[in-house]
């Protein structure tokens, strides 16, 4: 039975914390400074964490490796299980040409790509975060932006920065319910406090997205739309989290924000319309394959499929353009007439996802799904917390039927006949998804292995305890601790489970509000999402830039720190 000693290096909490920082420093330096590929940086950082665990914390090598193995398995299930199946559904819509219909539908709402980005990355992304979380919104919205003509790296950055304000209430508020469990604070109280913090952020995120796309000129031109979207989301998120339902917070807020922008566009339009400039590129677009399923090549997504087909033949292609210039393609989108049936089919996969996830929350169905959940102790892993209590790390929860990824598979199976996809082509698309995400799969599993080694050995707790020694200044450090936790694990839920109890303990010692500090862990954590290596890997894989995670990291780190 291994019990971590948090000041293991000479009885000094500071010296131990310095060593505990090494895996994280290694990871971020290799990504941001050395520009190393994410999966290689993650493997080296995992090695550093194992060395620190064994030689600084005296953790048995076998248990350290075993903890890493559990983390790797958790990285695949449930996290990658969600992302893989979400992108599979997206691939089917692209290959059948229905994603092109969806793109034209968005173009009819507004031909301005700044407005489209706000609706897709922020509003629709928030809805996906509310329903699934765990990287799904980044995976789907980034490729949607590419289909609208955005350059791959800009699409990834916009999707990552947008995935902030909704995160604390994501996946039907699992981060909040987890925080309540580990901190001992009332769930509704935590929901109320977080619902007064993250709305302040939500007001500015749409403006930030437009700034990324078109700098200050774009911010000024679209201010009525971004303010309408941000303020509507903020007010709704505050009202629902405080007075209605924790679980429904982001669902209602995202739909209200999208509706407000659509209504505004009926009476107001930007004075000038923005369309991305074409860029000669050779990156393979995520989810793209040559050929289609029952439709001619000319009917397929011109921005994704034709570009990729040309790229496979070795020709340079104009990224973000169709058969003509971006302006010409936008005009074609507006003038193209799609039947109501085709438009319904284009939206159907996402409607199916919403219905499936909503039904899964109906008490009888939810209970039936939960009944299949299996919990077991990870073989060979025998851990205590620093206080001597049994550690929760070795308990592995296999909710194979109720997992978000499984629900997405169900949604995908329903989508197949709706889109008219043959089973053979659907299966081929599924295999192609794994090939597309191979490096992201390695990165995410290794990063979660790193997180589990740090958690099991006591490295994460040492860092938290060291920061908690700041006294009243801990009020400033509290959200930073949550930010750090999400940066390591990629999950606000995981960060809350790591630091929730520590936040309460530190707050009590410093004479601060325990509920306020616990909530700040979750609110601060939402800003670590965009710099998390696993989310960087998901974004890079989704837009066809695997190996360029460091480039994306350097573009989002300023936004993460600034917010």
């Amino acid at each position: 039975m291994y019990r971590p000693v948090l000041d293991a290096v000479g009885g000094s909490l500071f010296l131990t914390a310095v060593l505990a920082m090494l895996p994280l420093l290694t990871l971020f330096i290799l990504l941001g400074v050395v520009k190393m590929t994410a999966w290689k940086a993650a493997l080296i950082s995992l090695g550093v964490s194992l060395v620190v665990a064994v030689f600084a914390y005296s953790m048995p090598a076998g248990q350290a490796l075993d903890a890493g193995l559990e983390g790797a398995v958790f990285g695949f299930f449930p996290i990658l299980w969600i992302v893989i199946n979400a992108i599979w559904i997206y691939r089917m819509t692209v290959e059948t040409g229905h994603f092109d219909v969806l793109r034209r539908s968005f173009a009819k709402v507004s031909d301005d790509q700044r407005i489209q980005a706000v609706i897709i990355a922020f509003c629709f992304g928030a809805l996906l975060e509310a329903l699934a979380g765990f990287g799904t919104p980044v995976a789907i919205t980034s490729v949607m932006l590419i289909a609208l003509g955005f350059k791959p790296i800009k699409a990834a950055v916009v999707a990552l920065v947008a995935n902030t304000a909704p995160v604390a209430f994501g996946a039907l508020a699992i981060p909040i319910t987890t925080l309540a469990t580990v901190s001992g604070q009332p769930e509704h109280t935590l929901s109320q406090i977080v619902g007064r913090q993250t709305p302040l952020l939500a007001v500015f995120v749409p403006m930030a997205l437009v700034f990324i796309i078109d700098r200050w000129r774009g911010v000024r031109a679209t201010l009525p739309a971004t303010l309408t979207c941000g303020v509507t989301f903020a007010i709704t998120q505050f009202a629902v989290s405080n007075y209605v339902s924790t679980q429904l917070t982001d669902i209602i807020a995202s739909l209200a924000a999208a509706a407000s922008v659509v209504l505004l566009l009926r009476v107001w339009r930007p004075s000038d319309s923005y369309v991305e400039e074409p860029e000669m590129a050779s990156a393979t677009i995520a989810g793209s394959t040559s050929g289609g399923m029952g439709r001619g090549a000319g009917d397929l997504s011109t921005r994704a499929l034709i570009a990729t087909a040309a790229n496979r033949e070795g020709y340079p292609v104009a990224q973000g353009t169709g058969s003509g210039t971006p302006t010409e393609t936008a005009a074609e989108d507006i003038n193209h007439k799609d039947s109501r049936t085709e438009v319904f089919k284009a939206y159907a996969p996402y409607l199916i996802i919403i219905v499936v996830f909503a039904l899964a929350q109906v008490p009888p169905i939810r209970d039936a799904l939960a009944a299949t959940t299996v919990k077991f102790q990870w073989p060979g892993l025998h851990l205590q917390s620093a206080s001597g209590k049994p550690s929760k790390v070795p308990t592995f929860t296999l909710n194979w039927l109720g997992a978000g990824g499984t629900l997405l598979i169900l949604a995908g199976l329903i989508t197949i006949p709706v889109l008219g996809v043959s089973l053979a082509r659907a299966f081929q698309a599924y295999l192609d998804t794994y090939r597309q995400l191979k490096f992201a799969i390695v990165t995410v599993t290794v990063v979660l292995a790193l997180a589990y080694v740090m958690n099991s050995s006591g490295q994460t707790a040492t860092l938290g305890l060291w920061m908690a020694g700041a006294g009243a200044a801990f009020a400033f450090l509290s959200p930073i601790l949550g930010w750090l936790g999400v940066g390591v694990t990629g999950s606000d839920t995981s960060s809350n489970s790591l630091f929730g109890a520590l936040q309460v303990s530190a707050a009590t010692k410093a004479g601060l509000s325990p509920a306020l500090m616990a909530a700040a862990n979750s609110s601060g954590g939402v800003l670590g999402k965009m710099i998390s290596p696993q989310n960087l890997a998901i974004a890079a894989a989704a837009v066809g830039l695997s190996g360029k995670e460091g480039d994306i990291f350097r573009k989002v780190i300023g936004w993460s720190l600034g917010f």
Side-chain angles (χ1 to χ4, degrees), residues 165-181:
V167 169
F169 295 96
L172 296 168
I174 286 179
I176 301 294
T177 55
T178 301
L179 181 62
T181 301

mmCIF file of all heavy atoms in Angstrom, residues 165-181:
data_model
loop_
_atom_site.group_PDB
_atom_site.id
_atom_site.type_symbol
_atom_site.label_atom_id
_atom_site.label_comp_id
_atom_site.label_asym_id
_atom_site.label_seq_id
_atom_site.Cartn_x
_atom_site.Cartn_y
_atom_site.Cartn_z
ATOM 1 N N ALA A 165 -16.236 29.407 -21.580
ATOM 2 C CA ALA A 165 -17.329 29.726 -20.659
ATOM 3 C C ALA A 165 -18.315 28.581 -20.425
ATOM 4 O O ALA A 165 -18.834 28.437 -19.314
ATOM 5 C CB ALA A 165 -18.080 30.967 -21.156
ATOM 6 N N PRO A 166 -18.607 27.731 -21.411
ATOM 7 C CA PRO A 166 -19.581 26.655 -21.161
ATOM 8 C C PRO A 166 -19.012 25.454 -20.401
ATOM 9 O O PRO A 166 -19.785 24.598 -19.966
ATOM 10 C CB PRO A 166 -20.001 26.219 -22.580
ATOM 11 C CG PRO A 166 -19.447 27.241 -23.512
ATOM 12 C CD PRO A 166 -18.256 27.822 -22.835
ATOM 13 N N VAL A 167 -17.692 25.371 -20.248
ATOM 14 C CA VAL A 167 -17.057 24.123 -19.792
ATOM 15 C C VAL A 167 -17.487 23.700 -18.392
ATOM 16 O O VAL A 167 -17.678 22.515 -18.120
ATOM 17 C CB VAL A 167 -15.518 24.250 -19.885
ATOM 18 C CG1 VAL A 167 -14.829 23.097 -19.173
ATOM 19 C CG2 VAL A 167 -15.083 24.308 -21.344
ATOM 20 N N ALA A 168 -17.642 24.653 -17.480
ATOM 21 C CA ALA A 168 -17.963 24.295 -16.096
ATOM 22 C C ALA A 168 -19.299 23.561 -15.975
ATOM 23 O O ALA A 168 -19.503 22.767 -15.058
ATOM 24 C CB ALA A 168 -17.984 25.544 -15.212
ATOM 25 N N PHE A 169 -20.214 23.826 -16.921
ATOM 26 C CA PHE A 169 -21.519 23.160 -16.913
ATOM 27 C C PHE A 169 -21.616 22.135 -18.046
ATOM 28 O O PHE A 169 -22.707 21.748 -18.442
ATOM 29 C CB PHE A 169 -22.649 24.186 -17.042
ATOM 30 C CG PHE A 169 -22.754 25.119 -15.864
ATOM 31 C CD1 PHE A 169 -22.144 26.364 -15.892
ATOM 32 C CD2 PHE A 169 -23.445 24.745 -14.718
ATOM 33 C CE1 PHE A 169 -22.225 27.225 -14.813
ATOM 34 C CE2 PHE A 169 -23.538 25.598 -13.628
ATOM 35 C CZ PHE A 169 -22.925 26.849 -13.675
ATOM 36 N N GLY A 170 -20.468 21.712 -18.561
ATOM 37 C CA GLY A 170 -20.447 20.784 -19.678
ATOM 38 C C GLY A 170 -20.851 19.376 -19.293
ATOM 39 O O GLY A 170 -20.870 19.013 -18.107
ATOM 40 N N ALA A 171 -21.170 18.578 -20.321
ATOM 41 C CA ALA A 171 -21.559 17.182 -20.136
ATOM 42 C C ALA A 171 -22.630 17.062 -19.049
ATOM 43 O O ALA A 171 -22.532 16.248 -18.127
ATOM 44 C CB ALA A 171 -20.345 16.321 -19.785
ATOM 45 N N LEU A 172 -23.648 17.913 -19.178
ATOM 46 C CA LEU A 172 -24.763 17.943 -18.225
ATOM 47 C C LEU A 172 -24.281 18.211 -16.804
ATOM 48 O O LEU A 172 -24.719 17.587 -15.843
ATOM 49 C CB LEU A 172 -25.574 16.649 -18.315
ATOM 50 C CG LEU A 172 -26.254 16.443 -19.674
ATOM 51 C CD1 LEU A 172 -26.796 15.036 -19.792
ATOM 52 C CD2 LEU A 172 -27.366 17.465 -19.888
ATOM 53 N N ALA A 173 -23.344 19.161 -16.697
ATOM 54 C CA ALA A 173 -22.846 19.685 -15.412
ATOM 55 C C ALA A 173 -22.107 18.654 -14.572
ATOM 56 O O ALA A 173 -22.063 18.763 -13.344
ATOM 57 C CB ALA A 173 -23.979 20.305 -14.602
ATOM 58 N N ILE A 174 -21.475 17.674 -15.219
ATOM 59 C CA ILE A 174 -20.682 16.687 -14.469
ATOM 60 C C ILE A 174 -19.577 17.354 -13.649
ATOM 61 O O ILE A 174 -19.318 16.933 -12.508
ATOM 62 C CB ILE A 174 -20.111 15.626 -15.426
ATOM 63 C CG1 ILE A 174 -21.223 14.677 -15.874
ATOM 64 C CG2 ILE A 174 -18.986 14.840 -14.774
ATOM 65 C CD1 ILE A 174 -20.771 13.602 -16.837
ATOM 66 N N PRO A 175 -18.881 18.409 -14.159
ATOM 67 C CA PRO A 175 -17.859 19.052 -13.312
ATOM 68 C C PRO A 175 -18.420 19.574 -11.992
ATOM 69 O O PRO A 175 -17.768 19.455 -10.947
ATOM 70 C CB PRO A 175 -17.350 20.195 -14.201
ATOM 71 C CG PRO A 175 -17.581 19.726 -15.594
ATOM 72 C CD PRO A 175 -18.872 18.963 -15.530
ATOM 73 N N ILE A 176 -19.615 20.144 -12.025
ATOM 74 C CA ILE A 176 -20.208 20.714 -10.810
ATOM 75 C C ILE A 176 -20.621 19.599 -9.845
ATOM 76 O O ILE A 176 -20.365 19.676 -8.629
ATOM 77 C CB ILE A 176 -21.422 21.596 -11.144
ATOM 78 C CG1 ILE A 176 -21.013 22.747 -12.078
ATOM 79 C CG2 ILE A 176 -22.058 22.139 -9.865
ATOM 80 C CD1 ILE A 176 -20.073 23.742 -11.465
ATOM 81 N N THR A 177 -21.258 18.550 -10.366
ATOM 82 C CA THR A 177 -21.686 17.457 -9.492
ATOM 83 C C THR A 177 -20.483 16.742 -8.887
ATOM 84 O O THR A 177 -20.521 16.323 -7.725
ATOM 85 C CB THR A 177 -22.565 16.457 -10.267
ATOM 86 O OG1 THR A 177 -21.862 16.000 -11.430
ATOM 87 C CG2 THR A 177 -23.861 17.111 -10.716
ATOM 88 N N THR A 178 -19.409 16.611 -9.667
ATOM 89 C CA THR A 178 -18.184 15.999 -9.137
ATOM 90 C C THR A 178 -17.583 16.868 -8.051
ATOM 91 O O THR A 178 -17.148 16.369 -6.999
ATOM 92 C CB THR A 178 -17.162 15.795 -10.264
ATOM 93 O OG1 THR A 178 -17.720 14.951 -11.269
ATOM 94 C CG2 THR A 178 -15.873 15.169 -9.739
ATOM 95 N N LEU A 179 -17.554 18.175 -8.290
ATOM 96 C CA LEU A 179 -17.009 19.107 -7.304
ATOM 97 C C LEU A 179 -17.797 19.043 -6.000
ATOM 98 O O LEU A 179 -17.216 19.068 -4.906
ATOM 99 C CB LEU A 179 -17.035 20.523 -7.880
ATOM 100 C CG LEU A 179 -16.475 21.644 -7.002
ATOM 101 C CD1 LEU A 179 -15.003 21.410 -6.718
ATOM 102 C CD2 LEU A 179 -16.678 23.008 -7.684
ATOM 103 N N ALA A 180 -19.108 18.956 -6.100
ATOM 104 C CA ALA A 180 -19.936 18.861 -4.894
ATOM 105 C C ALA A 180 -19.621 17.594 -4.111
ATOM 106 O O ALA A 180 -19.565 17.600 -2.874
ATOM 107 C CB ALA A 180 -21.415 18.888 -5.277
ATOM 108 N N THR A 181 -19.386 16.505 -4.826
ATOM 109 C CA THR A 181 -19.101 15.227 -4.166
ATOM 110 C C THR A 181 -17.784 15.259 -3.406
ATOM 111 O O THR A 181 -17.711 14.838 -2.244
ATOM 112 C CB THR A 181 -19.064 14.096 -5.213
ATOM 113 O OG1 THR A 181 -20.331 14.030 -5.880
ATOM 114 C CG2 THR A 181 -18.769 12.755 -4.555
#
